[in-house]
Each structure stands twice: as C-alpha cells, then as structure tokens.
Amino acid sequence: MTKSPFLESVRQEIRTMRYSIKTEKSYLWWIKGFILFNDKKHPNDMGNHEIERFLNHLAINRQVSSATQNQALCAIIFMYKNVIQREIKNLKYGFTKRDRAIPTVLTHEEAMQIIGNLKDKYWLIASLLYGCGLRINEALKLRVKDLNLADNTLFVFRGKGRKDRYTLLPKSLNESIKNQIEKAKLIHHKDTCEGYGLTSLPPSLIRKYGHAAKDFSWQYLFPSSIRCEHPHDGYICRHHIHETAFRKQLRQAVLKTGIAKRVKAHTFRHTFATQLLLNGTDIRTVQELLGHSDLRTTELYTHVIGSRFSHTISPFDRKVI
C-alpha cells in the first residue's frame, strides 16, 4: 500500500516531538478522516470553513462526545501549527467543555467479587489496578525491574503527564507476582535462545541501552504472546499484552457477578482512591499515590464517598415526634 507523503510528514513531526504511539495513531486517524471528509483536498488548501464543517459533522451526524471532538480538533490544530506552519484563528467552534462527572466506584466486596471471576494474569492485572491504584496502561507497562517485593513498593515509569511515581504494592500479591515473573522469564529465555530477547523500548532508547534491553530486568511483567517489529526503530522485540485482551476478560467477569454498574479498568483506580479515603488516609497521600498534579482532581473522590454530607440526615429518615 502506497503511503501518503503528507501523512508521513505529519508522522515524522509527531515523532520528533516525542508524542506517544497512541497519540500518533489517534492524530493520524483524525487527520486522515478530516482530509477524506473534505473530498481529499490538501490541508494546505483548506482552512476554517472546512474545519468547522468537519467538527459540525462529528457533533451532529456522528454524535461524538466532547472529549472525542476535542481530540479531533487537537489533531487538526497540531497539523496546521507544526506541519503546514499556519495558525488557525477565529474558529466558530472551539474546544468543548467536558462534563465533570463523578466517577463510578465499587465497594470493596464488589471489587473483590469481580477480581475473583478473573484467572491467571488477568486476575493479577485487576489486582494491581485495585491494589496499587494504577491506570491500565501503567499496569501493562510494568517491567520486572519496577517491582520491589522486599519493601512492597512499585515504580510507575512515565505515567500520565510523563510523571514518575512510587505507589503501594500489596504484600498479598507477592506470590502471584513471583509466579508471573517466572512465566515472563520462560518466554524471555525462549526468545534469547532463538536469537531475539530485546524488549520494546520508547523511541530511540535502543541506541542508548543497546543489548542491555535484552536483560531480563527490562522485560515486561505481562509480555505479549508474539514478537513484533518496533513501530519506530524497526527491531524485533516483545511488547506487553494489549489492553483489549484485558477488557474482554473484565467484561465477562462483571457479567458473571450481576453487578449493575458500568465497570471499566479505570473503575478499580477510582475504587482504590475512595477506599483509602474511607479508611482515613490523608488526601495528600492519596494524591501522591495516584500521581495527580492538582489536589482538586483528588478531591473529586470526597464527593464520591459523600464526606460533605456525612452529618446530614435525609428528611425521609427523621422520626415524627
């Protein structure tokens, strides 16, 4: 398939600015969609009118969420600013304000019930999400070197906002983690015997670390079942399992419980935060464990547990004297 020279120039600019692979795929998808929607006109020959038509189409015909519409606009603005080198001004439609929703949380019993319906590595992934307050991509990107079973801490490398942090590692998971490490070691041993063994690293780091990337400590805790070509640097490596695999297993586990809540991987992180607050953990500590830059983000969980209304009695519960 012939690659579009223009889209390849966008890709190069995204990689030069060190955006993630996920962002790269998303931006290219939206930019391609924008071009196709406007009858394959070159973006250099388009402007505000075409951008507004596309956003209007997304909002009215596609009925996308405000977050999705913002993502599309981000991609288009990036393209014009960094590739075409033209500022887009005075758009009729700007970035839409996202609804600030109170997150869905589980009780401890509900969380453990769902986790109990998962097996093997999926059970361990869900346990780490709940027990450590991780995002799903943070759990899947864990490398063997990030786990400290001696003092029960876990290192999160380049979490959201490219921030590093430490968080809790439940002692009760030590045995399961050791078993998973042994499984990862067997896969890595097979790779090295077959002349491979390199792990997937962020772009260009293979030049810095070289064959150190074959060390077992750098391998993912949850390695993929197949080897692949690195999307940036082209070497054969082993990545971590894809989050869609976990999503499928989680969906089945939730259905088995009959719990009438919309449960996603991120729900375990929300539940981790609320359980800490319910058990008296200081909100600043919760903020640090979650890796929030702004305390107001963490304070949202106080609304979830209803601490503002803890001494308020519903009129329905008042006794008639």
Side-chain angles (χ1 to χ4, degrees):
M1 185 183 292
T2 306
K3 292 183 178 180
S4 160
F6 177 75
L7 289 179
E8 284 306 301
S9 69
V10 176
R11 189 192 306 276
Q12 286 303 115
E13 191 62 31
I14 291 171
R15 292 185 177 183
T16 299
M17 298 183 74
R18 302 295 180 90
Y19 283 28
S20 69
I21 285 288
K22 195 172 182 180
T23 301
E24 177 184 317
K25 289 179 178 178
S26 172
Y27 275 22
L28 288 171
W29 193 84
W30 283 117
I31 291 168
K32 184 178 179 181
F34 170 65
I35 294 169
L36 291 175
F37 177 78
N38 287 289
D39 303 318
K40 299 184 180 179
K41 286 170 65 178
H42 194 284
N44 210 23
D45 301 322
M46 296 191 280
N48 287 30
H49 176 67
E50 289 80 7
I51 296 171
E52 288 161 2
R53 281 185 64 241
F54 183 59
L55 294 176
N56 192 53
H57 163 70
L58 293 179
I60 295 175
N61 300 327
R62 294 270 303 277
Q63 296 186 338
V64 302
S65 67
S66 58
T68 301
Q69 189 173 340
N70 286 343
Q71 187 184 69
L73 183 54
C74 276
I76 294 168
I77 295 295
F78 175 90
M79 171 188 68
Y80 275 102
K81 182 179 179 180
N82 298 286
V83 181
I84 296 176
Q85 297 186 338
R86 189 206 312 170
E87 291 285 345
I88 298 296
K89 298 179 181 178
N90 304 317
L91 279 173
K92 288 181 182 178
Y93 310 112
F95 291 103
T96 56
K97 187 176 180 181
R98 295 181 63 178
D99 297 328
R100 193 170 176 81
I102 293 178
T104 299
V105 298
L106 303 166
T107 64
H108 172 71
E109 290 72 24
E110 287 172 337
M112 297 307 291
Q113 191 180 351
I114 293 169
I115 292 170
N117 283 327
L118 292 162
K119 294 181 180 178
D120 303 322
K121 60 188 173 188
Y122 301 110
W123 177 90
L124 182 55
I125 292 169
S127 299
L128 289 168
L129 295 178
Y130 179 40
C132 311
L134 301 179
R135 301 174 178 91
I136 182 60
N137 64 326
E138 292 172 345
L140 298 182
K141 288 180 180 177
L142 285 174
R143 299 180 191 271
V144 174
K145 67 181 182 61
D146 298 330
L147 302 150
N148 191 330
L149 301 183
D151 62 6
N152 291 98
T153 58
L154 184 151
F155 178 64
V156 180
F157 176 74
R158 296 292 187 270
K160 189 174 181 180
R162 299 180 65 82
K163 296 190 297 290
D164 299 343
R165 75 179 190 278
Y166 282 96
T167 188
L168 308 172
L169 183 60
K171 291 181 181 179
S172 55
L173 294 181
N174 281 10
E175 201 59 39
S176 298
I177 290 171
K178 287 176 183 176
N179 291 337
Q180 182 60 34
I181 288 173
E182 287 303 312
K183 291 177 183 177
K185 189 178 286 184
L186 288 174
I187 293 172
H188 180 57
H189 179 70
K190 183 174 182 291
D191 283 347
T192 52
C193 287
E194 293 176 2
Y196 298 100
L198 289 170
T199 188
S200 171
L201 291 174
S204 301
L205 279 186
I206 190 66
R207 299 185 189 94
K208 179 179 179 180
Y209 292 105
H211 285 284
K214 279 190 176 182
D215 292 349
F216 178 62
S217 62
W218 279 92
Q219 304 303 308
Y220 286 113
L221 179 63
F222 302 106
S224 170
S225 59
I226 58 171
R227 294 186 290 262
C228 64
E229 182 179 308
H230 193 281
H232 280 228
D233 297 318
Y235 61 92
I236 302 300
C237 60
R238 191 175 289 274
H239 203 51
H240 56 70
I241 64 172
H242 200 276
E243 61 183 79
T244 53
F246 176 75
R247 280 187 202 147
K248 290 176 184 177
Q249 296 294 323
L250 177 60
R251 175 174 164 73
Q252 294 304 314
V254 174
L255 287 173
K256 287 179 183 177
T257 65
I259 293 171
K261 292 180 180 178
R262 187 165 178 257
V263 180
K264 302 183 292 184
H266 212 68
T267 306
F268 290 111
R269 177 173 160 86
H270 294 321
T271 305
F272 167 84
T274 53
Q275 286 297 314
L276 287 180
L277 291 170
L278 284 168
N279 287 291
T281 305
D282 177 75
I283 194 166
R284 292 282 183 182
T285 302
V286 178
Q287 178 191 7
E288 186 177 341
L289 292 172
L290 292 173
H292 288 161
S293 299
D294 193 334
L295 184 62
R296 287 176 295 181
T297 307
T298 317
E299 285 175 343
L300 183 64
Y301 295 110
T302 63
H303 299 285
V304 177
I305 63 177
S307 61
R308 292 190 306 154
F309 312 119
S310 57
H311 300 294
T312 306
I313 301 172
S314 167
F316 190 83
D317 288 334
R318 290 180 180 172
K319 295 179 181 179
V320 178
I321 299 174

